[in-house]
Amino acid sequence: MSWDLRFSEPIALANGQQLCTLRDAGTYITSLSPADHEAREWQTAMHVLIEAADHAGPVSFARLGVAQALHRHEEKVFDPSRKQPRWRKAASR
């Protein structure tokens, strides 16, 4: 495999840059401060990046790992407006 594999969708960073390949994501992670780099989420992200690049692991998992690490401090809030109701009609007898 290769570190030049592309994500299905680029990962947008807060500074306007984008991570498009496994190499971009790996370079970004290694440029983090030691405190951030050692965070559990970033360690997991690097693990799945290495799996994708060196051991034919899924690139989608690598993208997900990086995205989750980037947004680890954001509060997860349920948005009911995005949920479609699943109303069932009562069976008529």
Side-chain angles (χ1 to χ4, degrees):
M1 297 301 288
S2 169
W3 282 91
D4 295 318
L5 290 173
R6 298 184 75 76
F7 295 127
S8 59
E9 293 181 37
I11 301 170
L13 300 176
N15 64 5
Q17 293 181 325
Q18 292 185 334
L19 305 177
C20 299
T21 65
L22 298 176
R23 184 178 313 281
D24 294 343
T27 302
Y28 178 79
I29 294 171
T30 56
S31 72
L32 294 172
S33 69
D36 284 334
H37 188 268
E38 295 300 320
R40 180 179 52 89
E41 294 87 356
W42 285 115
Q43 290 295 307
T44 300
M46 191 54 124
H47 174 77
V48 292
L49 280 172
I50 291 169
E51 285 293 317
D54 293 342
H55 305 292
V59 175
S60 59
F61 286 6
R63 184 186 184 288
L64 180 63
V66 173
Q68 285 181 336
L70 277 171
H71 302 290
R72 70 188 184 282
H73 294 300
E74 292 179 12
E75 183 180 350
K76 295 166 183 69
V77 179
F78 175 69
D79 181 6
S81 68
R82 295 180 57 196
K83 177 75 175 163
Q84 296 293 326
R86 296 188 182 189
W87 301 108
R88 291 177 34 186
K89 293 183 178 180
S92 57
R93 295 180 191 227

